[in-house]
């Protein structure tokens, strides 16, 4: 199954209207604002969220739609859920593979590859594969069937070398090419179906643009990292997105990725401490500068979390050329950081409702661009969110007759 092709534009427009109407709810980041502009309009919701604990926020972080919060939360959650509904793609395309092909591939990555391959069907037979930003080419090797050829594009020489060695080891017909896919002369072997599993921002967009330009007839992508892009403002691909009034910064494009994968207790504690201390420092720097504005700070080595909170703040202030007040109650300042973290995490639940709608808006922009360029497009899920939250897959095929 997939989203019916003739509904893609209508879904895009509905998402566009939803995102435009509620910009004040998803644009400002609780991490950088002491109070959010929407809190005055929705005091019941804001107070309710602010009364909750950090643990409560974390329980719903990846499923904000399950929270029973005051209005307008439930209506927004229902609308976000309905607009984000995407069916799973039909499966059954997974072919038997060479034994031990998964040696050297982390378990979860291999499951993603198999799920991607299982959903990868085209109407016309595939004569060969192009694995775009292939890493060691695990996906390409998994797809390769007798009689087909594989080309892998990758710009990290160590991965190209390791990929080549693996393909040789398995006796497979594969070329691992050292290729910067962003290079203006990057060609596509148009007799091959191009696949890109989790090629970041500009990298998968480049595949779409090159495919359209060079009349490649089959491609399949699972996009990720929409914010890894050279442009500071989002560059729409389709006519529908170009006509939209939605302007997205690189920072906005990070929203779909803010879903955290389940981490172990130690990693979670470290991540929380790092954020609570940053927020604690933020309160102190606002006083020191006499300016009620967030001050960006650089990412710090993990060893900084081994300092006392007092040393952490003093050293960070020195790094920013700031002098903190002389008498600080450090225990109270640290507790304030943790309290702010609980507020931030709970207030973020509102913003998180827009994560999937924004992601789908972006993927539909890609789908519509391909549709406008003569491709038959299918958009669906290739695996569960538990396997990877970046589980949307776009399959595009262009009838040979359309090729120029
Ligand atoms: C997130 S990994 C995905 C790898 C593989 N598709 C997978 O699913 O395991 C992205 C890959 O793109 C490669 N890459 C990044 N920029 C590139 C470029 N400009 N040209 C070619 N490959 C690039 C990276 O070295 C990395 O191997």
């Amino acid at each position: 199954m997939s989203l019916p092709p003739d509904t893609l534009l209508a879904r895009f427009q509905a998402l566009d209207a939803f995102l435009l109407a509620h910009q004040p709810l998803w644009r400002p980041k609780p991490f950088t604002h002491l109070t959010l502009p929407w809190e005055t309009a929705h005091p019941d919701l804001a107070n309710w969220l602010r009364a909750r604990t950090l643990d409560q926020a974390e329980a719903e972080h990846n499923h904000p739609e399950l929270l029973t919060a005051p209005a307008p939360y439930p209506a927004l959650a229902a609308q976000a859920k309905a607009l984000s509904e995407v069916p799973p793609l039909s499966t059954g395309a997974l072919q038997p593979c060479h034994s031990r092909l998964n040696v050297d591939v982390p378990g979860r990555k291999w499951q993603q590859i198999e799920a991607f391959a299982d959903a990868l069907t085209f109407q016309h037979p595939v004569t060969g594969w192009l694995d775009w930003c292939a890493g060691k080419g695990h996906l390409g090797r998994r797809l390769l069937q007798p009689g087909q050829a594989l080309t892998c594009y990758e710009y990290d020489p160590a991965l190209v070398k390791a990929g080549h060695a693996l393909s040789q080891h398995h006796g497979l017909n594969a070329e691992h090419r050292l290729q910067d896919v962003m290079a203006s002369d990057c060609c596509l072997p148009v007799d091959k179906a191009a696949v890109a599993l989790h090629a970041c921002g500009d990298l998968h967009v480049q595949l779409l643009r090159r495919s359209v330009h060079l009349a490649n007839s089959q491609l399949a992508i699972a996009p990720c990292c929409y914010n890894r892009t050279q442009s500071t403002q989002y560059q729409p691909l389709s006519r529908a997105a170009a006509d939209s009034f939605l302007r997205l910064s690189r920072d906005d494009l990070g929203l779909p990725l803010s879903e955290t994968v389940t981490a172990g207790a130690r990693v979670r504690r470290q991540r929380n401490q790092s954020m609570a201390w940053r927020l604690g420092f933020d309160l102190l720097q606002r006083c020191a500068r006499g300016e009620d504005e967030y001050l960006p700070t650089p990412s710090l080595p993990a060893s900084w979390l081994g300092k006392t909170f007092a040393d952490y703040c003093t050293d960070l202030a020195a790094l920013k050329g700031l002098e903190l007040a002389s008498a600080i109650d450090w225990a109270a300042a640290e507790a304030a950081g943790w309290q702010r973290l609980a507020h931030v995490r709970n207030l973020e639940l509102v913003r998180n409702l827009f994560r999937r709608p924004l992601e789908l808006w972006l993927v539909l922009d890609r789908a519509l661009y391909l549709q406008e360029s003569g491709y038959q497009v299918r958009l669906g899920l290739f695996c569960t969110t538990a396997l990877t939250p970046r589980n949307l897959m776009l399959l595009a095929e262009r009838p040979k007759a359309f090729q120029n």
Side-chain angles (χ1 to χ4, degrees):
M1 285 193 326
S2 57
L3 281 181
D6 56 347
T7 64
L8 299 185
L9 180 59
R11 178 70 76 90
F12 177 85
Q13 286 167 339
L15 283 160
D16 194 56
F18 181 63
L19 289 165
L20 275 168
H22 300 296
Q23 294 183 78
L25 296 177
W26 59 267
R27 283 207 195 265
K29 286 182 164 172
F31 197 84
T32 56
H33 289 72
L34 286 187
T35 37
L36 292 161
W38 62 257
E39 290 189 63
T40 12
H42 306 294
D44 291 349
L45 176 59
N47 293 335
W48 189 87
L49 289 168
R50 281 180 177 276
R52 283 161 43 96
T53 65
L54 181 56
D55 284 346
Q56 285 176 311
E58 291 196 332
E60 275 107 9
H61 177 83
N62 285 349
H63 295 285
E65 73 283 359
L66 300 181
L67 189 69
T68 43
Y73 195 96
L76 290 168
Q79 217 180 339
K81 187 166 182 291
L83 286 171
S84 308
E85 216 66 71
V86 175
L89 288 162
S90 317
T91 52
L94 193 65
Q95 300 288 325
C97 78
H98 210 272
S99 63
R100 300 181 54 73
L101 214 50
N102 59 342
V103 171
D104 194 35
V105 194
R108 185 178 286 259
K109 178 91 256 174
W110 186 251
Q111 286 174 289
Q112 291 171 12
I113 285 174
E114 293 231 297
F116 188 92
D118 203 19
L120 189 42
T121 50
F122 288 117
Q123 280 170 22
H124 298 280
V126 172
T127 50
W129 300 99
L130 170 67
D131 191 345
W132 186 262
C133 298
K136 293 181 189 170
H138 296 306
L139 172 66
R141 265 189 304 278
R142 181 64 186 87
L143 294 169
L144 194 59
Q145 290 300 304
Q148 296 178 336
L150 166 66
T151 302
C152 295
Y153 283 177
E154 169 57 52
Y155 83 158
D156 179 336
L159 296 176
V160 172
K161 194 167 163 221
H164 178 73
L166 281 168
S167 292
Q168 284 235 310
H169 173 77
H170 291 291
L172 296 175
N173 180 13
E175 179 198 7
H176 292 260
R177 192 186 295 179
L178 185 65
Q179 172 73 55
D180 176 359
V181 300
M182 299 308 290
S184 55
D185 60 351
C186 177
C187 269
L188 285 186
V190 289
D191 54 329
K192 296 196 167 84
V195 290
L197 171 58
H198 295 163
C200 306
D202 283 346
L203 302 175
H204 71 257
V205 170
Q206 176 76 344
L207 173 60
L208 303 188
R209 289 193 190 280
R210 300 303 287 166
S211 293
V212 166
H213 185 66
L214 297 167
N216 182 27
S217 58
Q218 293 169 319
L219 67 143
I221 62 165
C224 81
C225 303
Y226 309 91
N227 57 346
R228 296 238 182 130
T229 160
Q230 285 296 314
S231 349
T232 48
Q233 286 292 312
Y234 182 67
Q235 306 294 311
L237 288 156
S238 65
R239 279 197 293 273
D243 288 345
S244 161
F245 289 106
L246 198 59
R247 299 284 169 270
L248 298 167
S249 68
R250 195 188 287 141
D251 208 28
D252 296 330
L253 297 177
L255 175 60
L257 312 166
S258 62
E259 189 166 355
T260 52
V261 277
T262 331
R266 199 180 60 86
V267 174
R268 239 187 13 245
R269 215 172 24 249
Q270 247 190 12
R271 196 172 55 207
N272 283 344
Q273 185 189 339
S274 154
M275 295 185 91
W277 281 19
R278 269 174 201 281
L279 290 166
F281 173 80
D282 183 53
L283 293 171
L284 297 175
Q285 70 77 16
R286 285 176 196 248
C287 280
R289 291 195 305 148
E291 261 180 67
D292 200 9
E293 279 283 319
Y294 178 74
L295 179 71
T297 50
S299 61
L300 301 167
S303 59
W304 276 57
L305 299 180
K307 299 172 189 247
T308 61
F309 181 63
D311 285 347
Y312 171 96
C313 290
T314 314
D315 294 351
L316 188 49
L319 211 66
K320 297 297 293 183
L322 275 178
E323 205 168 317
L324 297 179
S326 50
I328 291 175
D329 177 344
W330 290 107
E334 185 181 357
W338 281 98
Q339 179 58 73
R340 254 196 90 194
L341 180 61
H343 288 161
V344 165
R345 283 272 185 243
N346 279 292
L347 292 166
E348 267 172 2
L349 292 168
V350 174
R351 196 169 183 258
N352 292 350
L353 289 176
F354 297 88
R355 215 159 36 189
R356 196 62 162 178
L358 180 57
E359 176 164 28
L360 192 53
W361 186 99
L362 291 166
V363 177
L364 280 166
D365 180 27
R366 284 144 180 76
L368 291 167
Y369 170 63
L370 291 169
Q371 221 174 40
E372 287 164 9
S373 311
Y375 287 86
Q376 286 166 6
V377 174
R378 276 172 294 146
L379 169 58
L381 306 178
F382 73 97
C383 66
T384 61
T385 343
L387 193 52
T388 167
R390 301 287 73 73
N391 62 351
L392 291 164
M393 181 171 176
L394 206 54
L395 287 148
E397 198 159 11
R398 181 141 98 163
K400 300 271 183 220
F402 192 90
Q403 289 182 10
N404 40 45

